[in-house]
Amino acid sequence: EQALVDARQGVSRSPDSAAAAIALSYALQANFEIKEARDVLQQAVVQHPDDALARARLAELQLMLGDREQATATAQQAVALEPDLGRTQITLGFAALAEFRNDAAAAAFEKAIALDSADPLPHLGLGLARISAGHLEAGRSELELAVGLDSNDALLRSYLGKAYFEEKRDKLAATQYEMARELDPNDPTPWFYDAIRKQM
């Protein structure tokens, strides 16, 4: 709540700042106000049409709202503006992944990794793309790398647990879900995946 107050104040003081609008969008997202976050970014993109990071963030929000076609178009615009910005490639990768275009997703994530190999997000995306394409072991390896880069990220651990579950490595899966719950008790993802594990 305080972040949202501060972010709104930041936009009020600097209404022409793309960075302030991006910050506000994250605060709104954390408060589950995704549509308002998207609207803030749409306005920022109108004000700053050459800001690739703002476009990439807008594409993320469009993806969250299920507008895959528009998210892909926006992500492509962001990449066209700054192809060597890792965030634009990551967003393009997740947009492609949402449309089950695994090869295009993998290519974008691989480029993002080449730009910044220490960022766990493209490793997560590449892992998911490889698993979706039927390459479970290679995908799981990328998820392990993502967790190694950010061991305190609950969502990364949930996806790694899911990969272990798919490999029928039950104890490892259960451990990852437990760690994810401890890291973020409010995230439903590990609870959901662990419930599936317990049914099998």
Side-chain angles (χ1 to χ4, degrees):
E1 290 181 9
Q2 187 59 50
L4 185 55
V5 169
D6 291 345
R8 289 192 190 280
Q9 189 174 32
V11 169
S12 177
R13 290 181 177 180
S14 302
D16 295 328
S17 168
I22 292 170
L24 177 56
S25 77
Y26 281 112
L28 288 164
Q29 178 185 334
N31 282 272
F32 305 103
E33 297 177 45
I34 310 299
K35 288 182 179 178
E36 187 177 347
R38 178 205 56 201
D39 294 345
V40 166
L41 259 297
Q42 283 177 331
Q43 183 177 351
V45 165
V46 169
Q47 291 177 318
H48 305 277
D50 295 329
D51 192 310
L53 191 58
R55 283 193 187 272
R57 176 64 180 145
L58 175 58
E60 290 175 5
L61 293 162
Q62 290 167 335
L63 204 53
M64 288 177 205
L65 291 167
D67 193 351
R68 292 181 292 188
E69 186 175 332
Q70 188 59 56
T72 297
T74 305
Q76 288 170 340
Q77 291 165 359
V79 169
L81 288 167
E82 284 198 51
D84 293 331
L85 182 63
R87 197 69 183 191
T88 63
Q89 295 292 340
I90 291 168
T91 306
L92 183 63
F94 279 112
L97 196 59
E99 294 181 327
F100 303 102
R101 294 183 291 112
N102 296 321
D103 290 345
F109 291 130
E110 285 168 354
K111 183 158 187 181
I113 290 168
L115 292 167
D116 183 4
S117 61
D119 187 342
L121 270 181
H123 291 285
L124 167 65
L126 183 56
L128 295 176
R130 287 180 172 167
I131 290 170
S132 181
H135 307 295
L136 179 56
E137 184 177 351
R140 185 253 306 147
S141 294
E142 286 295 330
L143 296 179
E144 287 175 329
L145 184 51
V147 168
L149 291 167
D150 188 356
S151 60
N152 291 321
D153 189 306
L155 193 62
L156 295 180
R157 289 198 175 275
S158 292
Y159 278 112
L160 178 56
K162 188 173 186 294
Y164 285 144
F165 171 75
E166 295 294 335
E167 291 182 317
K168 305 193 184 319
R169 300 164 78 183
D170 190 70
K171 288 184 179 179
L172 287 174
T175 299
Q176 292 302 318
Y177 297 147
E178 182 180 353
M179 293 174 77
R181 286 194 298 266
E182 290 174 359
L183 288 166
D184 187 356
N186 295 321
D187 182 0
T189 311
W191 299 92
F192 176 70
Y193 286 152
D194 201 28
I196 293 173
R197 179 188 69 84
K198 289 173 178 176
Q199 285 183 324
M200 306 306 281

